[in-house]
Amino acid sequence: MFPNSFEYIAPTTLGEAVELLQRYGYDAKLLAGGQSLLPMMKLRVAAPPILIDINGIDELKGWREENSFLRIGALTRHSELEHAAELRDRYPLLAETAVWIADPLVRNLGTVCGSLAHADPASDWGAAMLALHAQVEAVGPGGKRQIPIDDFFVDTFTPALEENEIATAVLVPTPTGRAAGRYLKIERKAGDFAIAGLAIHVELDSDGIVTVAGFGICACGPVPLRGKRAEEYLLGKKLTPETIEAVSRLVPEDSDPTDDLRGSAEYKRDVLRVFAKRGLSDIAKELQGEVVLR
Ligand SMILES: Cc1cc2nc3c(=O)[nH]c(=O)nc-3n(C[C@H](O)[C@H](O)[C@H](O)COP(=O)(O)OP(=O)(O)OC[C@H]3O[C@@H](n4cnc5c(N)ncnc54)[C@H](O)[C@@H]3O)c2cc1C
């Protein structure tokens, strides 16, 4: 199906884009990778009269480390993080997650910030950014603000962005200790959205004590969810068979899945339990210097 007709505007500066959003309000939609918006427009689920294409805004491109964060610009594509060898050691969860999103065609166009702004409960980046304790940087007519990822997913397909704001970057804290991450996802077929997904990020100090723990769950609730109970339990402990077992039982407690064609709520909770145990066991081995086969 063809989308409704629309006016297309392609600003080249952030200021111009914000001004356009301010002028057109709810009539305008930002176009980033187009991998969620365009299918919705073709299905006529969305019919914005004005599209503001942000792909020509250079200041939204690329990533850099600054002020103890990795700043991932809004136009960073999924595939860029999949292939960024220089980020593998310190931010392993990024490549771990990116490779699970859709297929190479979607990954070459879709953006991390577009995925977060779309606020799909099954967003793989939603789970990963929760595990990484990230923040979303947003710019609007009033200036810049940072939104903790826990406050970002207001409801299904509803991010905490005003209609005149642009998500300009996602900020991932730079690890202070040894870091490891895993993304585990079960899908009906390769390239599909998750039936259930779990992102895990762990940092250890030199004594092997967990100083940062992050668990992000997707497709098991109205928004991506934090595995808060598991995080609180694991902080200050070592990764042992006992603590890993305990965490695997706590992660599903923070999920809120429903029965659907992809599986029952009980099944999805059990998948999360298995994922937590498998992912953390691999992380424990990796941080002890063992080579873990994928
Ligand atoms: C076949 C297919 C399979 C897919 N499979 C998966 C999958 O397995 N896992 C997964 O997580 N995702 C999947 N996706 C979704 C994909 O990840 C999208 O790329 C992503 O959700 C949206 O990013 P985008 O840059 O394409 O955003 P767009 O489609 O351009 O925009 C999406 C929404 O976000 C808004 N927006 C975009 N950028 C910004 C910004 N910087 N600031 C404010 N608002 C903004 C737009 O206005 C729009 O409302 C799939 C998509 C397709 C087509």
Side-chain angles (χ1 to χ4, degrees), residues 26-294:
Y26 281 113
D27 278 347
K29 270 276 173 202
L30 295 176
L31 174 70
Q35 296 305 294
S36 293
L37 183 57
L38 296 185
M40 286 170 63
M41 288 173 65
K42 285 182 180 173
L43 292 168
R44 303 208 176 176
V45 176
I50 294 159
L51 274 196
I52 302 173
D53 182 347
I54 58 174
N55 285 277
I57 303 178
D58 286 343
E59 58 205 288
L60 298 180
K61 293 176 183 165
W63 65 77
R64 59 178 183 271
E65 281 188 306
E66 61 179 25
N67 304 327
S68 309
F69 285 97
L70 175 70
R71 185 180 187 285
I72 302 171
L75 287 173
T76 303
R77 317 285 163 179
H78 310 316
S79 60
E80 289 181 66
L81 296 183
E82 178 186 356
H83 299 297
E86 64 271 41
L87 298 180
R88 287 264 162 95
D89 278 352
R90 299 213 295 162
Y91 306 95
L93 186 56
L94 298 179
E96 283 271 336
T97 305
V99 73
W100 277 101
I101 297 172
D103 51 51
L105 298 180
V106 173
R107 294 203 289 274
N108 282 339
L109 284 169
T111 64
V112 183
C113 279
S115 174
L116 297 176
H118 189 53
D120 191 317
S123 163
D124 297 309
W125 285 125
M129 292 305 164
L130 279 162
L132 291 164
H133 301 277
Q135 298 176 26
V136 177
E137 180 189 272
V139 170
K144 189 186 287 187
R145 66 180 180 123
Q146 277 158 15
I147 310 165
I149 196 73
D150 293 86
D151 299 336
F152 190 75
F153 302 113
V154 177
D155 206 341
T156 306
F157 300 118
T158 310
L161 291 168
E162 302 297 333
E163 86 269 11
N164 53 15
E165 277 185 317
I166 298 180
T168 44
V170 56
L171 308 175
V172 174
T174 301
T176 50
R178 286 178 296 152
R182 284 291 184 282
Y183 189 66
L184 300 102
K185 173 174 175 178
I186 186 163
E187 47 194 8
R188 280 182 313 176
K189 56 184 171 48
D192 201 357
F193 283 92
I195 297 171
L198 179 67
I200 310 176
H201 171 77
V202 172
E203 290 175 39
L204 300 184
D205 69 12
S206 52
D207 296 323
I209 304 288
V210 175
T211 53
V212 177
F215 295 88
I217 301 163
C218 73
C220 286
V223 294
L225 295 167
R226 176 175 297 291
K228 205 166 178 225
R229 290 174 175 86
E231 290 178 3
E232 285 170 359
Y233 168 82
L234 198 55
L235 273 180
K237 296 192 172 69
K238 292 192 173 185
L239 293 176
T240 64
E242 293 73 31
T243 57
I244 291 171
E245 179 66 31
V247 164
S248 75
R249 294 187 186 285
L250 288 171
V251 165
E253 288 188 25
D254 276 315
S255 68
D256 187 18
T258 50
D259 298 338
D260 59 24
L261 290 175
R262 293 171 184 236
S264 66
E266 187 188 359
Y267 167 71
K268 293 175 195 174
R269 278 197 202 93
D270 207 45
V271 166
L272 292 176
R273 181 187 63 75
V274 172
F275 278 176
K277 188 166 182 174
R278 191 181 297 166
L280 262 189
S281 302
D282 280 356
I283 283 175
K285 286 184 201 153
E286 184 183 309
L287 289 172
Q288 281 160 12
E290 273 184 52
V291 176
V292 182
L293 294 177
R294 306 292 174 90

